Amino acid sequence: MSLQHAVLGLLSVAPASGYELAKHFEQTLPRVWHAQNPQLYPVLSKLAASGKIEVSAQGPRNRSTYALTPAGRGELRHWLVEVEPDRTMRSEVYLRAFLLTFALSAKDALEVLDREAKVWQRERDGLASFIAESEQFVAPHDSHMIAYDLTLRLADAMLGWCDETRRRIEARL
């Protein structure tokens, strides 16, 4: 996935400034795609130059709000429907899981698992609370709710993995 397609996707929901897009990446999509302001502005310029987005409003201090154009909507549709996603995954969490019992003693591996379980539990609790609050205002079929549901399920899977791996390591002791 390219950052350009992520930006097009967010702009398909509503026009936004670069700052607002950065906040979306930070708050809404932190586990999906990481992007910061210095990365966003060159992408916005490139998308505007190619006619896929346009400045829809100018605010104070030259703050530009960008909107998707028909060409941008077409590119987003093409990417979502016709382009096969890259299913390779690069994850430090998964790499650590692979190396956990090779590189560490059982005691150290259990400490790492405890830390991971705490992180995933906090993630899960916060997300579950956010989903419960959001359900009052957002339909369950809304794209954000669907994505949050997937993230919640991944957190549940990671917690299950932590528990099962702990049992396997403890069984070897």
Side-chain angles (χ1 to χ4, degrees):
M1 175 168 86
S2 75
L3 180 55
Q4 289 185 22
H5 290 106
V7 168
L8 291 173
L10 288 175
L11 291 175
S12 75
V13 176
S17 67
Y19 175 81
E20 291 165 331
L21 289 168
K23 285 294 180 199
H24 274 295
F25 281 105
E26 180 184 315
Q27 296 171 352
T28 311
L29 301 170
R31 295 213 180 268
V32 177
W33 196 264
H34 181 74
Q36 297 175 327
N37 283 6
Q39 296 171 288
L40 284 172
Y41 290 102
V43 167
L44 289 168
S45 294
K46 193 179 291 185
L47 288 169
S50 68
K52 294 182 178 119
I53 64 171
E54 62 189 3
V55 174
S56 61
Q58 284 290 130
R61 298 184 309 266
N62 266 350
R63 179 178 170 169
S64 298
T65 297
Y66 297 91
L68 202 60
T69 64
R73 191 167 299 285
E75 171 58 27
L76 181 60
R77 184 197 177 282
H78 166 76
W79 180 75
L80 285 168
V81 174
E82 300 172 24
V83 175
E84 193 64 27
D86 178 358
R87 294 194 190 333
T88 58
M89 186 179 280
R90 186 176 136 184
S91 167
E92 188 174 337
V93 172
Y94 293 156
L95 178 59
R96 287 170 178 250
F98 178 78
L99 298 172
L100 191 65
T101 59
F102 291 125
L104 298 176
S105 67
K107 178 183 177 281
D108 286 344
L110 290 171
E111 286 180 27
V112 169
L113 283 170
D114 286 344
R115 183 185 69 218
E116 283 300 306
K118 287 176 185 171
V119 168
W120 286 107
Q121 189 64 57
R122 273 194 313 271
E123 173 88 11
R124 194 221 178 278
D125 292 346
L127 194 55
S129 174
F130 178 78
I131 289 171
E133 291 172 15
S134 298
E135 285 175 338
Q136 300 170 21
F137 310 104
V138 182
H141 61 276
D142 176 82
S143 64
H144 289 90
M145 295 304 286
I146 291 170
Y148 293 139
D149 179 60
L150 174 60
T151 306
L152 183 66
R153 290 170 189 249
L154 290 172
D156 285 339
M158 290 303 293
L159 284 167
W161 174 83
C162 287
D163 288 343
E164 178 61 26
T165 303
R166 171 173 271 293
R167 283 191 289 277
R168 289 178 185 183
I169 292 171
E170 288 173 340
R172 290 188 342 196
L173 296 177

